Amino acid sequence: MRRAALVVAGAATLAAGTAAHASAAPPADGGTYTPQVVGGTQAAQGEFPWMVRLSMGCGGAMYTDQLVLTAAHCVNGTGNNTSITATYGVVDLQSSSKVTRQSTYVYRNPGYSTSAGGDWALIKLASPISGAATLPLATSTAYDSGTFTVIGWGAATEGGAQQRYLLKAQVPFVDDTTCKSSYPSMKTAVEICAGYPQGGTDTCQGDSGGPMVRRDGAGNWIQVGIVSYGQGCARPNYPGVYAQVSALSSAIATQAAQLGGGTTPPTGTVFSSSGTVTIPDLGTASANVVVSGISGNAPSALSVSVDIRHTYRGDLVVDLVAPNGTAFRLKNSSSSDSADNVIATYTVNASAVAANGTWKLRAQDVYSGDTGYIASAKLTF
Ligand code: ARG
């Protein structure tokens, strides 16, 4: 359906690059480093759905639908703060389907400026991003090893410009002893390092506050680090240093509970769709969510988180279709609802159907004009 008039006049865009991160010195040691997150590739839309860009030139991750976890060094202090814009749901910061929220309050870990350290802060958004993807935190050291994925819109070369498109890269764990030999004042209790001995791949200025992640035993993303600091970017023998989430997660959870105002991530096993599915004009699209290993029937309060990007959401009828074909209506069409996107969490009583099998989030476009895509569907059993 076509809009009568343009509804949103360009809200403040997050132009790449802020003065604070505009420049950095070349490598003092005159060494070589591979220019090019550095050494990364572009992330796909929906690949890291909980990723957030913050307007001061940092990254962050959705911890609840109203709290963003970032680095302490990205914020000035604790207190009311309406100056930060968070951008969610896009890899392209100039995309018209981005979702933005202003901050309302910032909590900066008071221990950060002490010898205890801990480079983390929580930003409370003025209103929740209902249905937002959230990133669980590592609560033990079980995942503090292996290969990590880092993500951000920061510089792609040391001293380089901020990026319009989200970049990702993989970096291996570096043990504390090795890391301390590069950074003698590194705080092993609350910091974790990652990078190749030869350099070439790293986070960089503007990636701070963003998450370092890996897959947990069930194959889901889990946050193990927060981008904190490094000597230059991607230099040989200077890994990136990250706040060690496993050592900080209980303090973060306690503070998040006090800040309130957000829905904490539902507990249970989460199953997600993968990739995006185009919704053609006047067509139907389905995103599959494969559920396995759950005994018996689905819950009576099955949580269904939907992220559909569309330029006229009133065009859409959205159903959850169970493996046995039972359809649960999540949303009807409405010729007058011209707003963008369906980003919401629904609860359906699915206790009459078996849990295991392929569930489908189905979107039917019933009015001509306007198109979109299913970015993600997430079921919590
Ligand atoms: N402190 C930097 C920032 O504000 C992040 C530095 C990360 N550097 C590194 N070499 N891993 O964006």
Side-chain angles (χ1 to χ4, degrees):
M1 181 161 295
R2 299 256 145 66
R3 276 200 164 89
L6 193 63
V7 176
V8 183
T13 45
L14 277 174
T18 59
H21 290 105
S23 66
D29 59 5
T32 55
Y33 52 87
T34 309
Q36 272 193 38
V37 144
V38 185
T41 55
Q42 277 190 18
Q45 179 63 42
E47 192 175 2
F48 306 105
W50 23 256
M51 185 71 195
V52 167
R53 175 68 171 180
L54 298 169
S55 54
M56 81 293 272
C58 279
M62 298 301 293
Y63 178 67
T64 68
D65 63 5
Q66 201 176 354
L67 293 174
V68 177
L69 179 62
T70 186
H73 83 263
C74 286
V75 297
N76 295 326
T78 295
N80 294 334
N81 185 327
T82 57
S83 72
I84 303 166
T85 306
T87 298
Y88 168 85
V90 288
V91 292
D92 174 4
L93 293 176
Q94 294 176 24
S95 167
S96 59
S97 55
K98 69 188 176 180
V99 174
T100 60
R101 289 287 188 283
Q102 288 307 119
S103 59
T104 182
Y105 188 86
V106 169
Y107 179 87
R108 186 183 203 255
N109 174 24
Y112 174 61
S113 47
T114 72
S115 58
D119 193 1
W120 66 270
L122 285 166
I123 296 177
K124 186 172 182 177
L125 306 177
S127 63
I129 301 176
S130 174
T134 53
L135 178 60
L137 306 185
T139 55
S140 80
T141 56
Y143 298 113
D144 289 354
S145 61
T147 301
F148 306 125
T149 296
V150 290
I151 319 133
W153 288 274
T157 56
E158 186 174 319
Q162 300 291 292
Q163 300 295 299
R164 169 174 170 180
Y165 297 96
L166 183 61
L167 295 181
K168 62 172 178 179
Q170 293 199 321
V171 278
F173 169 74
V174 171
D175 67 80
D176 284 351
T177 308
T178 305
C179 194
K180 230 175 163 21
S181 69
S182 305
Y183 302 102
S185 58
M186 181 234 161
K187 298 182 171 75
T188 56
V190 292
E191 292 173 348
I192 180 172
C193 305
Y196 293 96
Q198 72 274 23
T201 308
D202 197 6
T203 45
C204 199
Q205 268 52 44
D207 292 323
S208 278
M212 178 166 79
V213 297
R214 55 160 285 169
R215 302 280 187 177
D216 68 9
N220 293 311
W221 289 120
I222 184 166
Q223 184 169 2
V224 297
I226 302 170
V227 180
S228 188
Y229 64 91
Q231 177 68 45
C233 302
R235 298 188 194 178
N237 299 313
Y238 283 107
V241 185
Y242 299 78
Q244 187 169 7
V245 168
S246 61
L248 304 166
S249 53
S250 75
I252 294 168
T254 300
Q255 192 51 44
Q258 270 167 42
L259 289 172
T263 310
T264 40
T267 55
T269 310
V270 178
F271 297 90
S272 303
S273 58
S274 64
T276 61
V277 183
T278 301
I279 308 168
D281 192 25
L282 287 174
T284 298
S286 292
N288 291 344
V289 179
V290 179
V291 175
S292 63
I294 304 287
S295 58
N297 283 3
S300 56
L302 173 63
S303 165
V304 186
S305 289
V306 174
D307 184 340
I308 298 174
R309 304 307 162 96
H310 197 274
T311 49
Y312 200 111
R313 71 179 175 202
D315 289 9
L316 300 176
V317 176
V318 182
D319 293 291
L320 176 69
V321 183
N324 71 356
T326 306
F328 299 92
R329 177 62 42 94
L330 303 178
K331 175 198 168 302
N332 277 306
S333 60
S334 159
S335 60
S336 60
D337 184 3
S338 63
D340 285 348
N341 306 335
V342 181
I343 302 175
T345 297
Y346 303 94
T347 303
V348 301
N349 181 350
S351 60
V353 300
N356 290 339
T358 301
W359 296 69
K360 290 179 188 299
L361 182 76
R362 183 176 67 197
Q364 303 174 78
D365 183 320
V366 299
Y367 292 109
S368 81
D370 291 273
T371 57
Y373 59 93
I374 302 173
S376 72
K378 199 172 76 176
L379 303 181
T380 304
F381 283 80

